[in-house]
């Protein structure tokens, strides 16, 4: 393996002297990644400091037909993943604000993140596609998430617009819960998906259980339904986009009396994104650093506008009944940098009137500007600047945060 072959390959650890390809040929696909988030607040917050949070992700996928030779298992896979997170949170220990300035903080332990069976087919009642999952999964991995959200360091944006977790009781990575979900998509990109998930107890989600309490004695059930349209996700070169609406039902304790709980409460979410300025393919006919099957917009150079609105009518249940976020992405800002992206995002959350102290009826907002520099297929760095407005509803002074997100795929 020459230096050029290693540097331009997909993994930092190379091909394991041919072992990786042999494993993939029999249907075993290993995944090992590292993600770091550095952040410092030279201005504002409760106190000034700098911290770094780290996350290792180790998992594998088994393609059951290839592994067993049984044709009836075509489309079936078994997925298992573990997360190891460590480091101190600048938000939790120093700024003391709501929206975490390091998205990979939370679940600081070694946790089972997923263990599930999945089935996919492109010939469900004609040319419709079907995807189905069952096992230990997280609702946040399947609902209210889009690949473009992963391009931020602040947790108000990254993974899921965080209003979902300030309203409904949605299970989230790196944790998992018993669940099942399915999605049907037609040839035009219209889709419908639904899922049901157990709401874990505090004990089940405690770090010393490491995600291994699989009992069915939960705190109730969370169900989610999403209808949407993936616009021009067909590799045609036309401006891609998405619009979707989600309803989430859950049960939760009251803000003013945690001993009282209400069942069957609903939150509503709307999200949309569209490439409003399309400069065409960056390197049409040439290989990209990163193979992208589900992120067609990243194969095009242009400007993407996105927005989210989340609402929960229950002031006595939701920590933030109103949440909105949005931003702009400039994919491939330079023709010579096909995999780079500039991202701007803004998020606003209004606290419930039922909360005590400065938070009650107040708000917090955050802004982020970053540049993701893709070094090669397996490594990137992403310097960013964040501004936290009205931390914890005005409890502390506005904070300026200087950050760096960086990652390696092994």
């Amino acid at each position: 393996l020459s230096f050029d072959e290693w540097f331009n390959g997909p993994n930092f650890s190379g091909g394991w002297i041919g072992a990786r390809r042999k494993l993939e040929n029999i249907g075993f696909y290993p995944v090992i990644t590292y993600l770091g988030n550095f952040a410092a607040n030279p201005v504002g917050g409760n106190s000034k400091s700098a911290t770094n949070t780290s996350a290792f992700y180790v998992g594998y996928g088994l393609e059951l037909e290839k592994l067993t030779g049984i044709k009836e298992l075509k489309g079936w896979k078994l997925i298992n993943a573990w997360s190891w997170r460590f480091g101190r949170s600048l938000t939790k220990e120093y700024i003391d604000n709501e929206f975490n300035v390091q998205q990979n903080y939370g679940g600081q332990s070694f946790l089972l993140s997923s263990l599930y069976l999945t089935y996919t087919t492109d010939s469900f009642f004609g040319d419709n596609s079907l995807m189905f999952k069952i096992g230990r999964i997280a609702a946040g991995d399947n609902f209210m998430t889009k690949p473009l959200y992963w391009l931020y360091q602040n947790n108000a944006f990254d993974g899921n617009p965080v209003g979902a977790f300030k309203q409904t009781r949605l299970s989230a990575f790196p944790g998992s819960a018993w669940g099942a979900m399915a999605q049907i998509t037609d040839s035009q990109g219209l889709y419908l998906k639904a899922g049901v998930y157990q709401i874990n107890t505090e004990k089940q989600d405690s770090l010393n259980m490491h995600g291994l309490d699989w009992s069915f004695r939960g705190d109730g059930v969370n169900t989610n339904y999403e209808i949407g349209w993936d616009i021009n996700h067909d590799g045609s070169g036309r401006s891609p986009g998405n619009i979707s609406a989600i309803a989430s039902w859950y049960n939760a304790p009251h803000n003013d009396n945690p001993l009282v709980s209400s069942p069957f409460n609903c939150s509503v979410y709307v999200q949309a994104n569209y490439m409003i300025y399309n400069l065409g393919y960056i390197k049409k006919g040439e290989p990209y650093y990163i193979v992208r099957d589900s992120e067609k917009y990243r194969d095009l150079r242009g400007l993407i506008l996105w927005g989210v609105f989340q609402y929960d009518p229950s002031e006595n249940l939701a920590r933030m009944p109103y949440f909105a976020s949005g931003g702009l992405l400039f994919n491939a800002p330079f023709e010579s940098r096909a995999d780079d992206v500039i991202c701007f995002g803004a998020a606003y959350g209004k606290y419930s009137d039922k909360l005590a102290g400065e938070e009650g009826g107040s708000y917090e907002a955050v802004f982020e500007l970053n540049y993701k520099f893709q070094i090669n297929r397996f490594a990137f760095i992403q310097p960013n600047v964040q501004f936290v407005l009205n931390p914890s509803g005005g409890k502390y002074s506005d904070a300026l945060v200087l950050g760096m997100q960086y990652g390696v795929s092994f």
Side-chain angles (χ1 to χ4, degrees), residues 58-313:
V58 180
Y60 62 87
L62 300 179
E63 192 174 340
L64 298 183
E65 181 194 18
K66 187 181 288 188
L67 191 67
T68 64
I70 301 173
K71 293 183 178 179
E72 288 77 10
L73 292 177
K74 181 179 180 180
W76 286 94
K77 294 179 182 178
L78 175 69
I79 309 296
N80 181 211
W82 296 78
S83 171
W84 178 33
R85 289 184 168 186
F86 53 94
R88 301 171 67 183
S89 168
L90 192 71
T91 280
K92 185 175 181 180
E93 298 187 33
Y94 298 101
I95 302 176
D96 196 6
N97 69 301
E98 189 74 27
F99 301 139
N100 205 315
V101 299
Q102 293 152 300
Q103 59 88 3
N104 66 346
Y105 181 82
Q108 307 303 95
S109 182
F110 190 67
L111 301 176
L112 173 73
S113 293
S114 63
L115 178 61
Y116 63 91
L117 278 170
T118 179
Y119 173 74
T120 57
T121 179
D122 292 327
S123 55
F124 181 72
F125 288 99
D127 58 357
N128 301 309
S129 66
L130 169 70
M131 182 271 289
F132 171 76
K133 294 180 182 180
I134 186 168
R136 299 293 297 182
I137 54 180
D141 291 340
N142 308 130
F143 293 88
M144 291 167 273
T145 184
K146 300 297 174 190
L148 61 86
Y149 302 152
W150 309 338
L151 296 170
Y152 294 88
Q153 177 168 311
N154 192 289
N155 199 221
F157 315 105
D158 186 87
N160 311 85
V162 79
F165 306 104
K166 309 298 181 183
Q167 297 171 352
T168 186
R169 299 182 70 184
L170 200 73
S171 50
F173 180 87
S176 60
W178 285 116
M181 62 84 59
Q183 175 174 332
I184 299 172
T185 308
D186 74 5
S187 59
Q188 303 302 312
L190 294 169
Y191 65 85
L192 175 66
K193 57 182 170 180
V196 57
Y197 304 84
Q198 177 177 280
I199 298 175
N200 288 341
T201 63
E202 287 188 13
K203 177 179 178 292
Q204 288 173 312
D205 277 339
S206 64
L207 297 182
N208 59 8
M209 294 307 300
H210 303 288
L212 297 176
D213 185 337
W214 295 0
S215 67
F216 291 100
R217 298 185 301 272
D219 265 353
V221 172
N222 161 237
T223 60
N224 302 284
Y225 304 89
E226 180 174 342
I227 185 170
W229 180 26
D230 285 330
I231 305 164
N232 298 332
H233 282 217
D234 52 10
S236 65
R238 294 175 296 178
S239 290
N242 169 273
I243 184 168
S244 58
I246 304 101
S248 179
W249 276 268
Y250 66 100
N251 66 293
H254 290 194
N255 286 324
D256 59 358
N257 186 357
L259 298 179
V260 178
S261 182
S262 293
F264 203 67
N265 307 285
C266 183
S267 295
V268 179
Y269 309 82
V270 179
Q271 57 189 9
N273 63 79
Y274 190 72
M275 181 171 273
I276 57 175
Y277 185 51
N278 188 345
L279 293 170
Y281 283 101
I282 311 161
K283 296 181 179 178
K284 189 169 178 61
E286 299 179 30
Y288 292 89
Y289 274 133
I290 303 170
V291 178
R292 300 183 179 93
D293 295 323
S294 61
E295 300 174 79
K296 294 300 183 184
Y297 70 92
R298 294 296 306 278
D299 289 342
L300 296 165
R301 187 174 183 229
L303 193 64
I304 300 145
L305 177 68
W306 67 271
V308 172
F309 179 71
Q310 302 174 321
Y311 171 65
D312 189 312

